[in-house]
Amino acid sequence: MSFLGYKKYPTPVLRPLLPFIGGAAIVGYLFFKAQDKMLKSDTYKNDPRNPHAGRHLPDSPAAERGSN
Amino acid sequence: MFKIFSPLEQFELNNYLQIKLFDNSILTISNFSFFLFLTILIIFFLFKLNNKNIVPNNYSYLMESINATVINLLPNKLIKNNNILGKYYPLLYTIFVFILITNLIGLIPYSFAITAQLIFVLALSLTILTGSIILGFNLHYFKFFNLFVPNNTPLFLLPLIVIIEFISFFARGLSLGIRLSANIIAGHLTLAIIGQLIYTFFYSNFSLISNIIGLLPFSLLIAISLLEVAISFIQTYVFTILTTGFISDSINLHGE
């Protein structure tokens, strides 16, 4: 960020982080999938805290287009 | 009669703003995301070295001491040999500073403790675990599975030991997140419960004796608040040092 007035040092920052970025992508995908499943489950689909409560959530945008 | 509030209310997520996106999903700005952005802003604007001055001021010394604390977590022999673990210092410093600042912000009365949300801390620890597995496979390919076979294991015990080591590896990743979250939740719950007790002593019965007795839990509250500050630092240190252990295990397996 030399444009903010900081000095540039040749420390490799991004390359060592690549495995952890990959790990974050895998964990993020799994957690969002689990969240989606919980939102659509019978226990929580009519919960007042659920922002999608009372709405029919399609499994995918393609399925929604197919129903019309 | 007065209302008793649940001490678990302080951990509830409250939605401030909900924006509908084009694909039926909803972008929510809650107290969690608000305090997350606040933490990032504080770290971004507060944590910097005084590069423009030749003579460091006291603030530079503070930043340098935090740097020294984190760099001393890395085992000395690995830095001297090939400095491969030193490449992960920016990650370790970021984890240390982020968890420290979130823990300390959570201690401010009427704020929100981000690290008390188990799902967030668990996602962080599982990311570190998955990242260290990917790193291990990248460096050692299938020799990474040597990590599950301790040195000098008798052959007849090998299947059992491998299963136990496999389970313990993943249990370590889970415990990394649960440890931090459980400590913060327990501390905040204790503070809330003692606060309710003090409120009961001072406001339920307006007598001098109950007010004097109420000073006891008040002093306990002050002591536990100081303990919570210490726990914030300790848990940050423990999280970072265990992250170092994960990365070091992936790089070095059994010290080969």
Side-chain angles (χ1 to χ4, degrees):
Chain A
M1 288 192 293
S2 55
F3 60 90
L4 289 172
Y6 296 123
K7 190 175 169 182
K8 269 172 89 168
Y9 291 96
T11 315
V13 174
L14 193 60
R15 201 182 162 90
L17 277 179
L18 285 175
F20 298 96
I21 292 171
I26 293 168
V27 168
Y29 172 73
L30 291 171
F31 273 54
F32 285 135
K33 210 170 168 182
Q35 180 191 21
D36 212 30
K37 261 197 164 32
M38 280 180 75
L39 277 176
K40 291 173 191 168
S41 68
D42 292 330
T43 323
Y44 293 110
K45 79 180 164 190
N46 293 320
D47 195 292
R49 294 167 296 178
N50 184 350
H52 299 290
R55 291 171 54 204
H56 169 66
L57 277 181
D59 290 327
S60 67
E64 191 185 38
R65 283 198 296 272
S67 64
N68 295 332
Chain B
M1 289 297 288
F2 53 90
K3 203 173 175 184
I4 297 174
F5 295 97
S6 164
L8 290 170
E9 273 182 5
Q10 59 184 316
F11 303 120
E12 282 178 5
L13 294 180
N14 300 317
N15 294 331
Y16 297 150
L17 187 65
Q18 287 185 340
I19 304 165
K20 261 190 206 171
L21 297 176
F22 58 93
D23 59 346
N24 284 332
S25 57
I26 295 174
L27 180 70
T28 308
I29 300 200
S30 60
N31 47 1
F32 179 86
S33 47
F34 174 75
F35 278 94
L36 189 65
F37 286 125
L38 181 69
T39 309
I40 292 169
L41 281 174
I42 286 173
I43 293 169
F44 192 74
F45 287 110
L46 219 60
F47 276 76
K48 50 190 175 181
L49 294 170
N50 201 6
N51 281 328
K52 292 179 184 166
N53 293 348
I54 295 170
V55 177
N57 55 12
N58 286 339
Y59 194 74
S60 289
Y61 285 133
L62 174 64
M63 292 297 115
E64 289 282 349
S65 69
I66 295 173
N67 271 309
T69 307
V70 182
I71 215 162
N72 285 332
L73 292 174
L74 302 174
N76 279 329
K77 56 179 179 177
L78 291 166
I79 295 175
K80 280 178 195 166
N81 282 346
N82 52 10
N83 205 22
I84 196 167
L85 200 55
K87 284 198 293 187
Y88 301 95
Y89 170 72
L91 172 67
L92 296 171
Y93 181 77
T94 309
I95 288 171
F96 184 88
V97 162
F98 177 73
I99 295 176
L100 180 65
I101 297 295
T102 50
N103 285 349
L104 292 176
I105 285 178
L107 285 172
I108 298 168
Y110 295 108
S111 76
F112 184 77
I114 299 170
T115 40
Q117 300 297 318
L118 180 63
I119 199 75
F120 167 68
V121 184
L122 213 55
L124 186 61
S125 68
L126 287 176
T127 301
I128 291 165
L129 180 72
T130 317
S132 64
I133 291 172
I134 294 172
L135 176 68
F137 272 112
N138 199 27
L139 286 172
H140 305 287
Y141 304 106
F142 285 103
K143 273 192 179 174
F144 179 69
F145 288 109
N146 283 351
L147 192 64
F148 301 121
V149 181
N151 289 333
N152 303 322
T153 310
L155 202 62
F156 65 96
L157 277 179
L158 202 61
L160 183 65
I161 294 282
V162 165
I163 292 169
I164 291 171
E165 286 284 330
F166 200 73
I167 295 169
S168 90
F169 183 77
F170 288 100
R172 269 197 318 164
L174 286 173
S175 74
L176 182 66
I178 293 171
R179 180 185 303 109
L180 171 62
S181 174
N183 268 287
I184 302 296
I185 290 172
H188 283 253
L189 268 177
T190 311
L191 288 172
I193 289 166
I194 294 177
Q196 291 258 337
L197 180 66
I198 295 169
Y199 183 84
T200 313
F201 273 117
F202 277 97
Y203 286 101
S204 65
N205 184 6
F206 291 102
S207 74
L208 188 63
I209 294 170
S210 71
N211 287 358
I212 291 168
I213 295 171
L215 288 174
L216 252 169
F218 191 73
S219 56
L220 187 64
L221 184 74
I222 294 170
I224 290 181
S225 300
L226 292 170
L227 178 70
E228 278 305 302
V229 173
I231 283 175
S232 300
F233 280 91
I234 290 166
Q235 287 303 316
T236 309
Y237 190 79
V238 164
F239 195 99
T240 316
I241 208 166
L242 288 172
T243 305
T244 313
F246 273 125
I247 298 172
S248 161
D249 279 346
S250 292
I251 293 171
N252 297 309
L253 298 177
H254 288 298
E256 292 155 9

